[in-house]
Amino acid sequence: MASGLALGACGSLVPQGSGASSGTASGQSSQPRVSSVPQTAVSRPEEARCIANLSAAGARFSALPDAYDGSGCSRLGTVQLSALSGDMRALSVSNIGPVQCRTANAFNAWARFGVDRAARQILGSPLVRIETMGSYSCRNIAGSNRRSAHATAGAIDVSGFILEDGRRITLAQDWDGGSDEEREFLRVIQSSACKRFATVLGPDYNRAHEDHFHLEGGDAEIERGSFCR
């Protein structure tokens, strides 16, 4: 099971396809959108419940139309996040594109209960922003001919964190080179992520992940097993 889940890891770290500002209804022209997939997330009961849960949890987002972008690449049941829910404030998120609703729910819960609380308890300052390297990207796993989980908007790559006191904690600089507290913070939030995502890959997994966490899947998938490195 572990090896199968790990195959959802990242390929190239340069996001492709839709970015954070694309794919929303507000960004389209007045011409009708032509789509071969009329169904949207809110028209399917399971995804409608997911979207309702995400809204109740305090995240800010827009539900996106379904789309197929080529062989093995699709955006089905995705949302565009604009803010996450913290204990005391909304948390901004940078450079994120379409993401599957179940992954967005896990990400929102991790940001609040994992990252924000760990930042206050370990570093003495609340979280204000999570920096990402993107989510949806129509690409293969690096070194393989298999599609990445990013190709179906099922994964997010997280690279850094901005605190209220102005500090910026990044995996590239602080996983090994940060203070004792910064290194502890990064390891604590990775452990927290492993309880919420089906696959979590970080700097100890391989060199391709030395500067980010690859967060894949959501709570429902953890029942089938998880891979955390």
Side-chain angles (χ1 to χ4, degrees), residues 62-81:
S62 298
L64 300 176
D66 289 348
Y68 288 96
D69 299 316
S71 178
C73 295
S74 62
R75 289 167 282 148
L76 307 180
T78 62
V79 299
Q80 178 65 60
L81 290 165

Side-chain angles (χ1 to χ4, degrees), residues 91-122:
L91 309 173
S92 65
V93 55
S94 66
N95 197 41
I96 193 168
V99 62
Q100 290 179 15
C101 181
R102 66 175 182 273
T103 304
N105 259 307
F107 187 53
N108 184 67
W110 176 67
R112 178 178 182 179
F113 301 113
V115 185
D116 189 23
R117 293 185 181 183
R120 284 185 277 117
Q121 293 169 7
I122 298 171

